[in-house]
Amino acid sequence: ALARPQIRLRTLALREGSLALEALLAFAKDRFGLAVSIGALRPNRVGERQHLNLAASFLELKALARRHPLQWETEGPLCVLPADRAHAMSALLTTRRPKLHLWDLGIRELSEDAHVKRDREREYLPRCEDCAVRGGCSGILKSDLARFGTEGLASIRHETEAH
C-alpha cells in the first residue's frame, strides 16, 4: 500500500545447519516480523550439484518439518511433513498446474544440463500408491533416493483412518 517492496525470505535445510537455521528463523521473526520459508537443497543449475553433499536427509527434513510445518515449501515428498500439514499442502497442490522448466524445451544429451535433468527426475515408491497425499505430492528426486535411500519416507494415512 505504501509502494514498499514485499520481502520474502527463503533458506535451504542443510545437514549441519540446524542451529544456524533456528537462529535465522528467530532473527527474521523478531527483527522483521517475517517468516522464512524452508526448502530442501536440490540439484539445480550447472555447477550447483557439487554442493549436494550438504543436503539434509529425509529423516533430518522430517525433524525440521515437525518443528516448522507452516514454513515448509511445496517441492519434494509431502511425507516428510506432519500428516495434517501434508493433507493441507496436497489439497493446495492438487489444483496447481505443473511448472514448465527450461530443460523441458530441449537440451543436448551429453550436456551438464542433461545430467542435472536426470538428477531431478522424480519417482514414486510402491508405498506411495495408497498415500493419502499422492495427488498433490511431486514425488521424490532420483538423486535424493540414491543419496539417502527411503528411510524417513512413509505413506500418509487418509484422515478417516487416522482416528
Side-chain angles (χ1 to χ4, degrees), residues 57-60 62 79-81 127 148-154:
S57 71
F58 297 126
L59 285 174
E60 292 164 324
K62 198 169 203 149
C79 59
V80 299
L81 297 171
R127 67 184 85 158
F148 305 123
T150 61
E151 192 174 17
L153 300 175

Side-chain angles (χ1 to χ4, degrees), residues 9 20-36:
L9 301 175
L21 180 62
E22 297 296 334
L24 173 67
L25 297 177
F27 173 76
K29 183 176 176 151
D30 295 344
R31 179 70 171 95
F32 303 108
L34 294 173
V36 178

Side-chain angles (χ1 to χ4, degrees), residues 38-43 56-66 69 72-83 85-87 89-90 93 119-125 127-128 131-145 147-156:
I38 305 166
L41 184 62
R42 302 283 183 240
S57 71
F58 297 126
L59 285 174
E60 292 164 324
L61 294 177
K62 198 169 203 149
L64 180 61
R66 215 176 12 255
W72 202 253
E73 292 193 353
T74 59
E75 188 176 332
L78 293 179
C79 59
V80 299
L81 297 171
R85 183 66 177 152
H87 282 283
M89 294 296 286
S90 178
L93 295 172
D119 283 345
R120 290 184 61 95
E121 287 175 355
R122 297 173 179 280
E123 66 180 69
Y124 296 91
L125 303 173
R127 67 184 85 158
C128 299
C131 183
V133 297
R134 169 69 164 82
C137 185
S138 62
I140 308 151
L141 294 180
K142 286 184 178 183
S143 61
D144 286 347
L145 283 172
R147 265 194 324 280
F148 305 123
T150 61
E151 192 174 17
L153 300 175
S155 182
I156 302 269

